[in-house]
Amino acid sequence: MSLDFQLPPRERLLQAAVELLANSDGAPVSTRKITELAGVTAPTLYHHFGDKEGLFDAVVAVGFDQYVASETGLVATGKPLDDVRRMWDQHVRFGMEQPHMYLVMFGNVRPGNRSNRLAEAEALLRDKLDRAAEAGHLNVAPADAVRSILAANIGVTLMLIAEPAAERNFELSDMTRDAVITAVSSKAGITDSASPVETSSVVVAAIALNAALESSNPQQLSNTEMKMFLEWLHRISKTS
């Protein structure tokens, strides 16, 4: 990230803190490094934020404001579980578009200190899942569904951010999304979905056989035959 020195000092401090935190690998970030990168003095930081922790809190607040705006900007489909899928995808997009900010928001976890803004992110999901529950589309309590889905969503996004851009497998996000939502959905919820996520028995069998063959060395097939057979199974297992 390159700082825009045309911005006011307060905004430059926020940008500097985001960059340094995201690249710190968990190491402490000093006030001196932040002010040097922002091109201001320490009294300027204290004037705007009180102290370094106040600056970090402001960074998280800015990120969550942007995150909430992106999630609430989605138009409801009338099918709560489909809306949850779209919120999952938007969450991943936010992380890909603003990886530095995302890492500050969701990657810098303090043990025993749960962010109030994280509760705000959960509330966005809770609204959709409450509606799903009212329609009989959940098989667990909405609160449990929220925690499960958001935890998986954050984990997938952090993993994708950590991978080289050319190697990111977004199919993994889709697969995890559908698996988690299916796990908390009733049969009625799955049936009502515009994008059913139940996997056919043929696909399940192909995935299982593919895994078994890859972990063994069947002598009945040549290397060429084995490679071709695995390719066929791979195609079947990708078919929804």
Side-chain angles (χ1 to χ4, degrees), residues 25-90:
D25 291 326
V29 176
S30 69
T31 299
R32 179 180 60 80
K33 287 183 179 179
I34 296 171
T35 54
E36 285 181 354
L37 185 57
V40 301
T41 61
T44 303
L45 185 153
Y46 301 140
H47 168 71
H48 288 291
F49 301 104
D51 56 19
K52 185 174 69 174
E53 289 304 315
L55 170 60
F56 291 168
D57 289 342
V59 168
V60 172
V62 169
F64 270 105
D65 285 344
Q66 295 173 359
Y67 170 79
V68 169
S70 71
E71 293 282 359
T72 55
L74 296 172
V75 178
T77 65
K79 295 179 179 291
L81 292 179
D82 287 342
D83 290 339
V84 170
R85 289 186 181 86
R86 295 169 68 229
M87 291 176 73
W88 173 293
D89 294 341
Q90 179 58 38

Short mmCIF file of all heavy atoms in Angstrom, two decimals, residues 25-90:
data_model
loop_
_atom_site.label_atom_id
_atom_site.label_comp_id
_atom_site.label_asym_id
_atom_site.label_seq_id
_atom_site.Cartn_x
_atom_site.Cartn_y
_atom_site.Cartn_z
N ASP A 25 3.04 -9.49 10.94
CA ASP A 25 3.11 -10.91 11.32
C ASP A 25 2.90 -11.10 12.82
O ASP A 25 3.52 -11.97 13.44
CB ASP A 25 4.45 -11.52 10.91
CG ASP A 25 4.59 -11.65 9.40
OD1 ASP A 25 3.56 -11.90 8.74
OD2 ASP A 25 5.71 -11.50 8.89
N GLY A 26 2.05 -10.28 13.40
CA GLY A 26 1.73 -10.41 14.81
C GLY A 26 2.66 -9.67 15.74
O GLY A 26 2.43 -9.62 16.95
N ALA A 27 3.74 -9.09 15.21
CA ALA A 27 4.69 -8.35 16.05
C ALA A 27 4.11 -6.98 16.42
O ALA A 27 3.27 -6.44 15.69
CB ALA A 27 6.01 -8.17 15.32
N PRO A 28 4.53 -6.40 17.54
CA PRO A 28 4.03 -5.08 17.94
C PRO A 28 4.39 -4.02 16.90
O PRO A 28 5.45 -4.08 16.27
CB PRO A 28 4.75 -4.81 19.26
CG PRO A 28 5.16 -6.16 19.76
CD PRO A 28 5.44 -6.98 18.55
N VAL A 29 3.50 -3.07 16.72
CA VAL A 29 3.75 -1.95 15.81
C VAL A 29 3.91 -0.70 16.66
O VAL A 29 3.02 -0.35 17.43
CB VAL A 29 2.58 -1.77 14.81
CG1 VAL A 29 2.81 -0.53 13.96
CG2 VAL A 29 2.44 -3.01 13.95
N SER A 30 5.04 -0.05 16.53
CA SER A 30 5.34 1.10 17.39
C SER A 30 4.68 2.37 16.88
O SER A 30 4.39 2.52 15.68
CB SER A 30 6.85 1.32 17.49
OG SER A 30 7.36 1.76 16.25
N THR A 31 4.46 3.29 17.80
CA THR A 31 3.94 4.61 17.43
C THR A 31 4.90 5.32 16.49
O THR A 31 4.47 5.99 15.53
CB THR A 31 3.74 5.46 18.71
OG1 THR A 31 2.79 4.81 19.56
CG2 THR A 31 3.22 6.86 18.35
N ARG A 32 6.19 5.15 16.73
CA ARG A 32 7.19 5.81 15.88
C ARG A 32 7.08 5.36 14.44
O ARG A 32 7.12 6.19 13.51
CB ARG A 32 8.60 5.51 16.41
CG ARG A 32 9.72 6.15 15.59
CD ARG A 32 11.08 5.82 16.14
NE ARG A 32 11.30 4.38 16.16
CZ ARG A 32 11.67 3.68 15.09
NH1 ARG A 32 11.82 4.28 13.92
NH2 ARG A 32 11.86 2.37 15.18
N LYS A 33 6.90 4.04 14.20
CA LYS A 33 6.79 3.55 12.84
C LYS A 33 5.55 4.11 12.15
O LYS A 33 5.58 4.47 10.97
CB LYS A 33 6.73 2.02 12.84
CG LYS A 33 8.05 1.34 13.15
CD LYS A 33 7.90 -0.17 13.06
CE LYS A 33 9.22 -0.87 13.33
NZ LYS A 33 9.08 -2.35 13.27
N ILE A 34 4.45 4.20 12.91
CA ILE A 34 3.20 4.71 12.32
C ILE A 34 3.35 6.17 11.93
O ILE A 34 3.00 6.57 10.81
CB ILE A 34 2.04 4.54 13.32
CG1 ILE A 34 1.76 3.06 13.59
CG2 ILE A 34 0.78 5.22 12.79
CD1 ILE A 34 0.79 2.81 14.71
N THR A 35 3.89 6.97 12.84
CA THR A 35 4.00 8.40 12.55
C THR A 35 5.02 8.67 11.44
O THR A 35 4.81 9.57 10.61
CB THR A 35 4.40 9.18 13.82
OG1 THR A 35 5.59 8.60 14.39
CG2 THR A 35 3.28 9.14 14.84
N GLU A 36 6.09 7.88 11.39
CA GLU A 36 7.07 8.07 10.32
C GLU A 36 6.47 7.75 8.96
O GLU A 36 6.66 8.48 7.99
CB GLU A 36 8.29 7.17 10.56
CG GLU A 36 9.23 7.68 11.66
CD GLU A 36 10.43 6.78 11.84
OE1 GLU A 36 10.48 5.71 11.19
OE2 GLU A 36 11.32 7.14 12.63
N LEU A 37 5.74 6.64 8.88
CA LEU A 37 5.13 6.27 7.61
C LEU A 37 4.07 7.28 7.19
O LEU A 37 3.93 7.58 5.99
CB LEU A 37 4.50 4.88 7.72
CG LEU A 37 3.91 4.28 6.45
CD1 LEU A 37 4.96 4.20 5.34
CD2 LEU A 37 3.32 2.90 6.72
N ALA A 38 3.35 7.82 8.16
CA ALA A 38 2.29 8.80 7.85
C ALA A 38 2.85 10.20 7.60
O ALA A 38 2.12 11.06 7.11
CB ALA A 38 1.28 8.85 8.99
N GLY A 39 4.11 10.41 7.95
CA GLY A 39 4.72 11.73 7.75
C GLY A 39 4.22 12.77 8.73
O GLY A 39 4.10 13.95 8.37
N VAL A 40 3.93 12.34 9.97
CA VAL A 40 3.47 13.28 11.00
C VAL A 40 4.27 13.04 12.27
O VAL A 40 5.08 12.11 12.35
CB VAL A 40 1.96 13.10 11.30
CG1 VAL A 40 1.13 13.32 10.05
CG2 VAL A 40 1.68 11.71 11.89
N THR A 41 4.04 13.86 13.27
CA THR A 41 4.70 13.70 14.56
C THR A 41 3.77 12.99 15.55
O THR A 41 2.56 12.92 15.34
CB THR A 41 5.10 15.07 15.14
OG1 THR A 41 3.92 15.85 15.32
CG2 THR A 41 6.05 15.80 14.19
N ALA A 42 4.37 12.49 16.63
CA ALA A 42 3.58 11.78 17.65
C ALA A 42 2.45 12.64 18.23
O ALA A 42 1.34 12.13 18.43
CB ALA A 42 4.50 11.27 18.76
N PRO A 43 2.69 13.94 18.52
CA PRO A 43 1.58 14.75 19.05
C PRO A 43 0.36 14.80 18.13
O PRO A 43 -0.77 14.94 18.59
CB PRO A 43 2.22 16.13 19.21
CG PRO A 43 3.67 15.85 19.44
CD PRO A 43 3.97 14.67 18.56
N THR A 44 0.59 14.67 16.80
CA THR A 44 -0.53 14.66 15.86
C THR A 44 -1.38 13.41 16.07
O THR A 44 -2.62 13.47 16.05
CB THR A 44 -0.02 14.70 14.41
OG1 THR A 44 0.79 15.86 14.23
CG2 THR A 44 -1.18 14.74 13.43
N LEU A 45 -0.71 12.27 16.29
CA LEU A 45 -1.44 11.03 16.57
C LEU A 45 -2.26 11.18 17.85
O LEU A 45 -3.44 10.82 17.89
CB LEU A 45 -0.47 9.86 16.67
CG LEU A 45 -1.06 8.46 16.85
CD1 LEU A 45 -0.11 7.40 16.28
CD2 LEU A 45 -1.36 8.12 18.31
N TYR A 46 -1.62 11.70 18.90
CA TYR A 46 -2.32 11.84 20.18
C TYR A 46 -3.49 12.81 20.07
O TYR A 46 -4.52 12.64 20.72
CB TYR A 46 -1.34 12.31 21.26
CG TYR A 46 -0.17 11.37 21.46
CD1 TYR A 46 1.11 11.86 21.67
CD2 TYR A 46 -0.34 9.99 21.41
CE1 TYR A 46 2.19 11.00 21.83
CE2 TYR A 46 0.73 9.12 21.57
CZ TYR A 46 1.99 9.63 21.78
OH TYR A 46 3.05 8.78 21.94
N HIS A 47 -3.32 13.83 19.25
CA HIS A 47 -4.37 14.83 19.08
C HIS A 47 -5.63 14.19 18.47
O HIS A 47 -6.76 14.48 18.90
CB HIS A 47 -3.88 15.97 18.18
CG HIS A 47 -4.97 16.89 17.72
ND1 HIS A 47 -5.59 17.79 18.57
CD2 HIS A 47 -5.57 17.04 16.50
CE1 HIS A 47 -6.52 18.46 17.90
NE2 HIS A 47 -6.53 18.03 16.65
N HIS A 48 -5.43 13.33 17.47
CA HIS A 48 -6.58 12.76 16.76
C HIS A 48 -7.16 11.52 17.43
O HIS A 48 -8.37 11.28 17.35
CB HIS A 48 -6.18 12.42 15.32
CG HIS A 48 -5.98 13.61 14.44
ND1 HIS A 48 -7.01 14.42 14.02
CD2 HIS A 48 -4.84 14.14 13.90
CE1 HIS A 48 -6.55 15.38 13.26
NE2 HIS A 48 -5.24 15.24 13.16
N PHE A 49 -6.30 10.72 18.09
CA PHE A 49 -6.77 9.42 18.57
C PHE A 49 -6.52 9.15 20.05
O PHE A 49 -6.95 8.12 20.55
CB PHE A 49 -6.09 8.31 17.74
CG PHE A 49 -6.37 8.41 16.26
CD1 PHE A 49 -5.41 8.89 15.39
CD2 PHE A 49 -7.61 8.04 15.76
CE1 PHE A 49 -5.67 8.98 14.03
CE2 PHE A 49 -7.88 8.13 14.40
CZ PHE A 49 -6.91 8.61 13.54
N GLY A 50 -5.85 10.04 20.73
CA GLY A 50 -5.59 9.85 22.16
C GLY A 50 -4.34 9.04 22.42
O GLY A 50 -3.45 9.47 23.14
N ASP A 51 -4.26 7.82 21.82
CA ASP A 51 -3.07 6.99 21.94
C ASP A 51 -3.09 5.97 20.81
O ASP A 51 -3.98 5.98 19.94
CB ASP A 51 -3.00 6.29 23.30
CG ASP A 51 -4.26 5.47 23.62
OD1 ASP A 51 -5.00 5.12 22.66
OD2 ASP A 51 -4.49 5.17 24.79
N LYS A 52 -2.11 5.07 20.81
CA LYS A 52 -2.00 4.10 19.72
C LYS A 52 -3.20 3.17 19.69
O LYS A 52 -3.71 2.82 18.61
CB LYS A 52 -0.71 3.30 19.87
CG LYS A 52 -0.44 2.34 18.72
CD LYS A 52 0.92 1.68 18.83
CE LYS A 52 0.99 0.72 19.99
NZ LYS A 52 2.28 -0.03 20.02
N GLU A 53 -3.66 2.73 20.85
CA GLU A 53 -4.82 1.84 20.88
C GLU A 53 -6.06 2.52 20.32
O GLU A 53 -6.90 1.90 19.67
CB GLU A 53 -5.08 1.35 22.30
CG GLU A 53 -4.04 0.36 22.81
CD GLU A 53 -3.89 -0.85 21.91
OE1 GLU A 53 -4.94 -1.41 21.49
OE2 GLU A 53 -2.75 -1.24 21.61
N GLY A 54 -6.17 3.83 20.58
CA GLY A 54 -7.29 4.58 20.02
C GLY A 54 -7.23 4.61 18.51
O GLY A 54 -8.26 4.54 17.82
N LEU A 55 -6.00 4.70 17.96
CA LEU A 55 -5.83 4.66 16.51
C LEU A 55 -6.23 3.30 15.96
O LEU A 55 -6.95 3.23 14.96
CB LEU A 55 -4.37 4.96 16.16
CG LEU A 55 -3.95 4.74 14.70
CD1 LEU A 55 -4.77 5.61 13.76
CD2 LEU A 55 -2.46 5.01 14.53
N PHE A 56 -5.79 2.22 16.61
CA PHE A 56 -6.14 0.89 16.14
C PHE A 56 -7.64 0.65 16.19
O PHE A 56 -8.22 0.03 15.29
CB PHE A 56 -5.42 -0.17 16.97
CG PHE A 56 -3.92 -0.21 16.75
CD1 PHE A 56 -3.10 -0.93 17.59
CD2 PHE A 56 -3.34 0.49 15.69
CE1 PHE A 56 -1.73 -0.97 17.38
CE2 PHE A 56 -1.97 0.46 15.47
CZ PHE A 56 -1.16 -0.27 16.32
N ASP A 57 -8.28 1.15 17.23
CA ASP A 57 -9.74 1.02 17.32
C ASP A 57 -10.43 1.77 16.17
O ASP A 57 -11.43 1.31 15.62
CB ASP A 57 -10.24 1.56 18.66
CG ASP A 57 -9.86 0.66 19.84
OD1 ASP A 57 -9.53 -0.52 19.60
OD2 ASP A 57 -9.90 1.14 20.98
N ALA A 58 -9.86 2.92 15.82
CA ALA A 58 -10.43 3.70 14.71
C ALA A 58 -10.25 2.98 13.38
O ALA A 58 -11.14 3.02 12.51
CB ALA A 58 -9.76 5.08 14.65
N VAL A 59 -9.12 2.30 13.21
CA VAL A 59 -8.88 1.51 12.00
C VAL A 59 -9.95 0.42 11.86
O VAL A 59 -10.53 0.23 10.79
CB VAL A 59 -7.47 0.89 12.03
CG1 VAL A 59 -7.33 -0.17 10.93
CG2 VAL A 59 -6.41 1.96 11.86
N VAL A 60 -10.19 -0.30 12.94
CA VAL A 60 -11.18 -1.36 12.91
C VAL A 60 -12.58 -0.79 12.64
O VAL A 60 -13.37 -1.37 11.88
CB VAL A 60 -11.16 -2.14 14.24
CG1 VAL A 60 -12.33 -3.12 14.31
CG2 VAL A 60 -9.85 -2.89 14.40
N ALA A 61 -12.88 0.35 13.23
CA ALA A 61 -14.20 0.97 13.04
C ALA A 61 -14.41 1.35 11.58
O ALA A 61 -15.50 1.12 11.02
CB ALA A 61 -14.33 2.20 13.93
N VAL A 62 -13.39 1.92 10.95
CA VAL A 62 -13.50 2.30 9.53
C VAL A 62 -13.73 1.06 8.68
O VAL A 62 -14.58 1.04 7.79
CB VAL A 62 -12.23 3.04 9.07
CG1 VAL A 62 -12.21 3.19 7.54
CG2 VAL A 62 -12.15 4.41 9.71
N GLY A 63 -12.96 0.00 8.96
CA GLY A 63 -13.11 -1.23 8.19
C GLY A 63 -14.49 -1.82 8.33
O GLY A 63 -15.10 -2.25 7.32
N PHE A 64 -15.03 -1.85 9.54
CA PHE A 64 -16.35 -2.44 9.74
C PHE A 64 -17.45 -1.57 9.13
O PHE A 64 -18.46 -2.10 8.66
CB PHE A 64 -16.61 -2.69 11.21
CG PHE A 64 -16.17 -4.05 11.66
CD1 PHE A 64 -15.02 -4.22 12.40
CD2 PHE A 64 -16.90 -5.18 11.31
CE1 PHE A 64 -14.60 -5.48 12.79
CE2 PHE A 64 -16.49 -6.45 11.70
CZ PHE A 64 -15.33 -6.60 12.44
N ASP A 65 -17.27 -0.26 9.12
CA ASP A 65 -18.25 0.59 8.45
C ASP A 65 -18.33 0.23 6.96
O ASP A 65 -19.43 0.15 6.39
CB ASP A 65 -17.87 2.07 8.61
CG ASP A 65 -18.16 2.59 10.02
OD1 ASP A 65 -18.92 1.93 10.75
OD2 ASP A 65 -17.62 3.66 10.38
N GLN A 66 -17.16 0.03 6.34
CA GLN A 66 -17.13 -0.33 4.93
C GLN A 66 -17.72 -1.73 4.72
O GLN A 66 -18.46 -1.97 3.75
CB GLN A 66 -15.70 -0.27 4.41
CG GLN A 66 -15.10 1.12 4.42
CD GLN A 66 -13.62 1.12 4.06
OE1 GLN A 66 -13.02 0.08 3.82
NE2 GLN A 66 -13.02 2.30 4.01
N TYR A 67 -17.39 -2.63 5.62
CA TYR A 67 -17.88 -4.01 5.52
C TYR A 67 -19.40 -4.05 5.65
O TYR A 67 -20.09 -4.69 4.84
CB TYR A 67 -17.23 -4.85 6.61
CG TYR A 67 -17.82 -6.23 6.78
CD1 TYR A 67 -17.48 -7.26 5.91
CD2 TYR A 67 -18.72 -6.50 7.81
CE1 TYR A 67 -18.01 -8.53 6.06
CE2 TYR A 67 -19.25 -7.77 7.97
CZ TYR A 67 -18.90 -8.78 7.10
OH TYR A 67 -19.44 -10.02 7.24
N VAL A 68 -19.93 -3.37 6.65
CA VAL A 68 -21.38 -3.35 6.87
C VAL A 68 -22.10 -2.74 5.67
O VAL A 68 -23.14 -3.23 5.23
CB VAL A 68 -21.73 -2.59 8.16
CG1 VAL A 68 -23.23 -2.34 8.26
CG2 VAL A 68 -21.25 -3.37 9.38
N ALA A 69 -21.52 -1.67 5.11
CA ALA A 69 -22.14 -1.03 3.94
C ALA A 69 -22.19 -1.99 2.76
O ALA A 69 -23.18 -2.03 2.02
CB ALA A 69 -21.36 0.23 3.57
N SER A 70 -21.13 -2.80 2.59
CA SER A 70 -21.12 -3.74 1.46
C SER A 70 -22.14 -4.85 1.65
O SER A 70 -22.75 -5.32 0.69
CB SER A 70 -19.71 -4.33 1.29
OG SER A 70 -19.40 -5.23 2.35
N GLU A 71 -22.35 -5.27 2.90
CA GLU A 71 -23.30 -6.35 3.17
C GLU A 71 -24.75 -5.86 3.11
O GLU A 71 -25.62 -6.54 2.57
CB GLU A 71 -23.02 -6.96 4.54
CG GLU A 71 -21.69 -7.71 4.64
CD GLU A 71 -21.75 -9.10 4.01
OE1 GLU A 71 -22.82 -9.49 3.51
OE2 GLU A 71 -20.72 -9.78 4.02
N THR A 72 -25.00 -4.69 3.67
CA THR A 72 -26.37 -4.19 3.68
C THR A 72 -26.80 -3.68 2.31
O THR A 72 -27.99 -3.47 2.06
CB THR A 72 -26.52 -3.06 4.71
OG1 THR A 72 -25.55 -2.03 4.46
CG2 THR A 72 -26.32 -3.59 6.13
N GLY A 73 -25.84 -3.47 1.41
CA GLY A 73 -26.17 -3.00 0.07
C GLY A 73 -26.75 -4.09 -0.82
O GLY A 73 -27.24 -3.81 -1.92
N LEU A 74 -26.72 -5.34 -0.36
CA LEU A 74 -27.27 -6.44 -1.15
C LEU A 74 -28.80 -6.41 -1.08
O LEU A 74 -29.38 -6.27 -0.01
CB LEU A 74 -26.77 -7.78 -0.61
CG LEU A 74 -25.26 -8.02 -0.70
CD1 LEU A 74 -24.90 -9.31 0.04
CD2 LEU A 74 -24.81 -8.10 -2.15
N VAL A 75 -29.43 -6.56 -2.22
CA VAL A 75 -30.89 -6.56 -2.29
C VAL A 75 -31.41 -7.94 -1.90
O VAL A 75 -30.93 -8.97 -2.40
CB VAL A 75 -31.38 -6.20 -3.70
CG1 VAL A 75 -32.90 -6.25 -3.77
CG2 VAL A 75 -30.86 -4.82 -4.10
N ALA A 76 -32.38 -7.98 -1.00
CA ALA A 76 -32.93 -9.26 -0.52
C ALA A 76 -33.62 -10.00 -1.65
O ALA A 76 -34.28 -9.41 -2.50
CB ALA A 76 -33.91 -9.01 0.62
N THR A 77 -33.45 -11.34 -1.65
CA THR A 77 -34.06 -12.17 -2.69
C THR A 77 -35.42 -12.71 -2.28
O THR A 77 -36.15 -13.23 -3.11
CB THR A 77 -33.15 -13.37 -3.00
OG1 THR A 77 -33.08 -14.21 -1.83
CG2 THR A 77 -31.76 -12.92 -3.41
N GLY A 78 -35.74 -12.63 -0.98
CA GLY A 78 -36.96 -13.24 -0.48
C GLY A 78 -36.74 -14.66 0.00
O GLY A 78 -37.64 -15.28 0.56
N LYS A 79 -35.54 -15.18 -0.22
CA LYS A 79 -35.16 -16.51 0.27
C LYS A 79 -33.98 -16.32 1.21
O LYS A 79 -32.85 -16.12 0.77
CB LYS A 79 -34.79 -17.43 -0.89
CG LYS A 79 -35.96 -17.76 -1.82
CD LYS A 79 -35.51 -18.67 -2.96
CE LYS A 79 -36.68 -19.00 -3.88
NZ LYS A 79 -37.66 -19.88 -3.22
N PRO A 80 -34.22 -16.36 2.53
CA PRO A 80 -33.18 -16.01 3.50
C PRO A 80 -31.88 -16.79 3.35
O PRO A 80 -30.79 -16.21 3.45
CB PRO A 80 -33.85 -16.32 4.85
CG PRO A 80 -35.31 -16.17 4.59
CD PRO A 80 -35.50 -16.66 3.19
N LEU A 81 -31.94 -18.09 3.07
CA LEU A 81 -30.71 -18.87 2.97
C LEU A 81 -29.93 -18.51 1.70
O LEU A 81 -28.69 -18.54 1.69
CB LEU A 81 -31.01 -20.37 3.00
CG LEU A 81 -31.52 -20.88 4.35
CD1 LEU A 81 -31.81 -22.37 4.28
CD2 LEU A 81 -30.50 -20.61 5.47
N ASP A 82 -30.63 -18.14 0.65
CA ASP A 82 -29.94 -17.65 -0.54
C ASP A 82 -29.28 -16.30 -0.25
O ASP A 82 -28.18 -16.01 -0.74
CB ASP A 82 -30.91 -17.51 -1.71
CG ASP A 82 -31.31 -18.87 -2.28
OD1 ASP A 82 -30.59 -19.85 -2.01
OD2 ASP A 82 -32.34 -18.95 -2.98
N ASP A 83 -29.95 -15.47 0.56
CA ASP A 83 -29.35 -14.19 0.96
C ASP A 83 -28.08 -14.43 1.78
O ASP A 83 -27.09 -13.70 1.65
CB ASP A 83 -30.34 -13.37 1.78
CG ASP A 83 -31.50 -12.84 0.94
OD1 ASP A 83 -31.34 -12.76 -0.29
OD2 ASP A 83 -32.54 -12.50 1.53
N VAL A 84 -28.09 -15.46 2.62
CA VAL A 84 -26.89 -15.79 3.41
C VAL A 84 -25.75 -16.20 2.49
O VAL A 84 -24.60 -15.82 2.71
CB VAL A 84 -27.21 -16.91 4.43
CG1 VAL A 84 -25.93 -17.42 5.09
CG2 VAL A 84 -28.18 -16.40 5.49
N ARG A 85 -26.05 -16.96 1.44
CA ARG A 85 -25.01 -17.33 0.48
C ARG A 85 -24.40 -16.10 -0.18
O ARG A 85 -23.19 -16.00 -0.35
CB ARG A 85 -25.59 -18.26 -0.60
CG ARG A 85 -25.91 -19.64 -0.09
CD ARG A 85 -26.35 -20.56 -1.24
NE ARG A 85 -26.68 -21.87 -0.70
CZ ARG A 85 -27.87 -22.20 -0.21
NH1 ARG A 85 -28.85 -21.31 -0.21
NH2 ARG A 85 -28.08 -23.40 0.29
N ARG A 86 -25.25 -15.15 -0.54
CA ARG A 86 -24.76 -13.94 -1.19
C ARG A 86 -23.94 -13.10 -0.21
O ARG A 86 -22.94 -12.47 -0.60
CB ARG A 86 -25.93 -13.13 -1.74
CG ARG A 86 -26.67 -13.87 -2.87
CD ARG A 86 -27.98 -13.19 -3.23
NE ARG A 86 -27.75 -11.91 -3.86
CZ ARG A 86 -28.36 -10.78 -3.51
NH1 ARG A 86 -29.24 -10.77 -2.53
NH2 ARG A 86 -28.10 -9.67 -4.15
N MET A 87 -24.33 -13.10 1.05
CA MET A 87 -23.55 -12.38 2.06
C MET A 87 -22.18 -13.03 2.25
O MET A 87 -21.18 -12.34 2.44
CB MET A 87 -24.32 -12.33 3.38
CG MET A 87 -25.56 -11.45 3.32
SD MET A 87 -26.53 -11.47 4.86
CE MET A 87 -25.46 -10.49 5.92
N TRP A 88 -22.15 -14.36 2.22
CA TRP A 88 -20.87 -15.08 2.31
C TRP A 88 -19.95 -14.63 1.17
O TRP A 88 -18.79 -14.28 1.38
CB TRP A 88 -21.12 -16.59 2.23
CG TRP A 88 -19.87 -17.43 2.15
CD1 TRP A 88 -18.98 -17.47 1.11
CD2 TRP A 88 -19.40 -18.36 3.14
NE1 TRP A 88 -17.98 -18.37 1.39
CE2 TRP A 88 -18.21 -18.92 2.63
CE3 TRP A 88 -19.87 -18.77 4.38
CZ2 TRP A 88 -17.48 -19.88 3.34
CZ3 TRP A 88 -19.13 -19.72 5.09
CH2 TRP A 88 -17.96 -20.26 4.57
N ASP A 89 -20.47 -14.64 -0.06
CA ASP A 89 -19.66 -14.28 -1.23
C ASP A 89 -19.19 -12.83 -1.14
O ASP A 89 -18.05 -12.51 -1.51
CB ASP A 89 -20.46 -14.50 -2.51
CG ASP A 89 -20.76 -15.98 -2.77
OD1 ASP A 89 -20.07 -16.83 -2.18
OD2 ASP A 89 -21.69 -16.26 -3.55
N GLN A 90 -20.06 -11.94 -0.66
CA GLN A 90 -19.68 -10.54 -0.52
C GLN A 90 -18.59 -10.39 0.54
O GLN A 90 -17.67 -9.58 0.39
CB GLN A 90 -20.90 -9.70 -0.13
CG GLN A 90 -20.60 -8.21 0.07
CD GLN A 90 -20.00 -7.57 -1.15
OE1 GLN A 90 -20.37 -7.87 -2.29
NE2 GLN A 90 -19.04 -6.66 -0.95
#
